[in-house]
């Protein structure tokens, strides 16, 4: 009888260790990269928490290439990072932000509208990643274009690095 309890205790301990090991696996919403170091666009980012929307707030490389109408920007964040931020007040390592830049369409009373703007097509996208092992300073920014599957890291001289260091 005593041997049965020992075996059962060892089996429970081994099961606990095996289950604990799965927590070290990468999170489903952690940043993913190509072999060349480009960040992969998260396929389901529009299901992530939307933490901000602005009008005429696009900046950096994607904001420089927009036309005359003021762009809309939507910022999404990886769900596990958002939950961690709510608990700790800090963005954890492996946080991913997606900045979606959309055209704006204006309506006015002359056209039968009520003087306002609504979001149009995606004009650009940028991704910000916190990956302390991969990037000096912990953060990196990637230009994604309109619909590409991956994006190239912006050089450290890009304005987003200095701005986010001072204000982020």
């Amino acid at each position: 009888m005593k041997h049965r309890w020992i075996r059962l205790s060892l089996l429970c301990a081994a099961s606990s260790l095996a289950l604990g090991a799965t927590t070290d696996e990468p999170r489903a919403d952690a940043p993913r990269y190509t072999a060349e170091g480009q960040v992969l666009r998260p396929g389901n980012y529009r299901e992530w928490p939307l933490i901000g929307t602005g009008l005429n707030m696009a900046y950096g490389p994607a904001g420089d290439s927009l036309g005359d109408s003021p762009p809309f920007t939507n910022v999404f964040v990886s769900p596990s990072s958002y939950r961690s931020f709510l608990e700790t007040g800090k963005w954890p390592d492996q946080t991913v932000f997606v900045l979606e830049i959309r055209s704006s369409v204006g309506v006015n009373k002359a056209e039968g509208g009520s003087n306002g703007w609504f979001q149009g097509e995606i004009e650009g996208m940028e991704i910000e990643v916190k990956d302390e092992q991969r990037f000096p300073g912990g953060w990196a920014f990637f230009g994604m274009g309109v619909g590409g599957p991956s994006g190239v890291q912006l050089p450290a001289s890009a304005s987003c690095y200095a701005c986010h260091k001072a204000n982020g």
Side-chain angles (χ1 to χ4, degrees), residues 45-46 48-59 70-77 97-104 117-120:
Y45 76 90
R46 296 221 43 144
W48 292 4
L50 174 67
I51 61 170
T53 296
L55 179 62
N56 207 25
M57 293 179 63
Y59 42 82
F72 274 99
T73 53
N74 299 311
V75 180
F76 301 89
V77 67
F97 292 99
V98 175
L99 174 67
E100 181 185 77
I101 303 165
R102 292 182 165 266
S103 64
S104 62
W117 297 91
F118 62 91
Q119 294 188 27

Side-chain angles (χ1 to χ4, degrees), residues 81-92:
S81 295
Y82 181 70
R83 287 188 299 274
S84 179
F85 180 82
L86 291 177
E87 292 175 13
T88 66
K90 295 181 181 178
W91 295 112

Side-chain angles (χ1 to χ4, degrees), residues 112-131:
S114 60
N115 290 335
W117 297 91
F118 62 91
Q119 294 188 27
E121 298 296 318
I122 294 177
E123 299 285 333
M125 183 179 296
E126 294 178 1
I127 292 183
E128 179 183 7
V129 173
K130 183 176 184 181
D131 192 330

Side-chain angles (χ1 to χ4, degrees), residues 10-25:
L10 289 173
L11 181 62
C12 288
S15 297
S16 296
L17 287 173
L19 289 174
T22 61
T23 60
D24 292 338
E25 294 177 12

